[in-house]
Structure formats: structure tokens, C-alpha cells
Amino acid sequence: MLYKASSIQSCIVQATDGELGKIKDLYFDSEKWTVRYLVIDTRKWLPGKKVLVSPVSFDNVALVNSRISIFASTDQIKNSPSVGEGEHQPITRLQEIELHRYFGWTPYWIGEGLWGPGNIPILSNKEEEHYDTQLDDHHSYVRSVNELSGQMFGYNVVGMDYEEFGRVIDFVIDDNSWVIHYLIVDTGNWLPGRKVAISPESIDSIQWIDKEIMIGLKAEEMEEQSTESDSVLELEEIPIDNLRTRHLLNK
């Protein structure tokens, strides 16, 4: 099923021996547009520690009931590698390798599928040496959903004709493969009272410093995609039957 990132952020994460906290952010791979980690708000019992869990570790996902169970204990989470304390900070491949080695997760970046050996996040029995690739790579591959979205501070969406179409306010995610199928844009003063759902395929580049998303569409093409705001927020106008097979992309 499809869910908004904002609705996933209300979910509670349950470990094998206790409740961990609520989701506060999601981190996605900006090459394949797939959610790779959920960030847990653990301030009540692990103040100052940013805790990430991969969909690979999910035991049961019941987003309708706002609950996600994972194959990990509270002690495992408590002793997991630190990935920094700053809000919305990118994650490097080195940090990812440390996390995957610690938890025994399958590295999604090794293999032909969207999630390494396959197209959905599952655990595998690969040997540990498969984690030890690109250990010197400090490039930031994974970014925060909250960094890009927000009614006031979301990234600007700019078209081919340099028209500013509005700000990113949410993402539409498939809870099976955890692919981001659409970005929801509030068109603000350009088309007052409307929202637009754009696919990652229409994105030419992301200017991280300028906080802009450049897309290969002109103003009239964007206007054709616009729908009433309530329809988009309820996902009623999104063409679910035409969802992309993201695993075919190998950028």
C-alpha cells in the first residue's frame, strides 16, 4: 500500500523486548529514491543518540495501526553505532557499512536488485566480507526526508523555464519495497489551494546547498498534474496502477 511519509512518522517502533519510541524522520537513497532507514526518537531513554533502523530488520509492519516491529532488542539498539547527533545530517557509506555489519543487515548497494539480492528488503546469509567495500568512502549517499519537506522550509521545486512551482511538503511511499513514488508539492501562490504529485523521474537534479529541486517540466505540464489539495492528501488522485518498477533503475 501507499503511505505518506508524514503518516509513517507517527508510528511506534517495537523491539523484541520493549517499545523504542516513535519515528521522527526517514532517510532515503537519492539515487534510487528508496527509503533506507527510519530514525527513532529515543529521547526518553537514549537522549542525544540518533538511532536508525533499516526496513531489512522489520518483523511486522502495520502502518494502519501505527506500529512497526523489528528484529532487534533494546540492548542492540542502545549499543548500535552512532551516526551523528545533528538533525537531518546526511549519512555516509562508511556509516552505513558500520550499521549493516553491526546488525547483520544485507547491504542494499551490492547486487542487481533494488535491495541488493532482491527488490524488497529481506535478510540474507551473506558472509561478513561483503560489508567491507568502499570503507574509505565518506560521500553522502543518504539524505533526510525532513530536510526536503515542510510547509515553510521545504525545498523549492523549479521547472525547465525557471518557474518556481512551490515547496515539497510530503512523500508517497510504498510499504513493500519502500520506494518513494511521488513527491507532493504545495504550489503556494503559483496555483493557490492546489497540490501537485511529481515522480522522481521528472527530477533533473537536487541543489542541496540552494535547497532546490530542478525538474524537467514546464509550467503548463505542471499545471496539468495539479489536483485539488484534499484529493492529493488522501492519495485519491495518484495513479496507483501506473506505479513504476524502481528496481529496473540502476543509476
Side-chain angles (χ1 to χ4, degrees), residues 103 106 121 144 201 232 242 247:
F103 284 107
T106 306
S144 159
E201 275 80 8
V232 171
N242 296 322
H247 61 275

Side-chain angles (χ1 to χ4, degrees), residues 235-246:
L235 308 183
E236 293 172 354
E237 297 296 324
I238 293 177
I240 298 176
D241 292 338
N242 296 322
L243 292 180
R244 304 174 314 286
T245 52
R246 300 288 302 174

Side-chain angles (χ1 to χ4, degrees), residues 1 3 36 46 50 57 78 84 101 104 106 111 128-129 133 148 181 206 208 227 238-239 246:
M1 292 187 64
Y3 293 89
R36 301 300 183 185
L46 282 179
K50 182 190 292 184
S57 68
K78 182 178 180 179
R101 182 189 295 117
T106 306
E128 186 172 343
E129 60 261 23
T133 60
L148 271 69
H181 291 286
I206 301 178
W208 301 106
T227 61
I238 293 177
R246 300 288 302 174

Side-chain angles (χ1 to χ4, degrees), residues 45-74:
W45 64 283
L46 282 179
K49 184 179 178 69
K50 182 190 292 184
V51 172
L52 274 64
V53 293
S54 166
V56 171
S57 68
F58 294 171
D59 178 21
N60 178 264
V61 178
L63 296 183
V64 173
N65 298 322
S66 298
R67 188 167 291 272
I68 296 174
S69 299
I70 64 173
F71 290 113
S73 67
T74 53

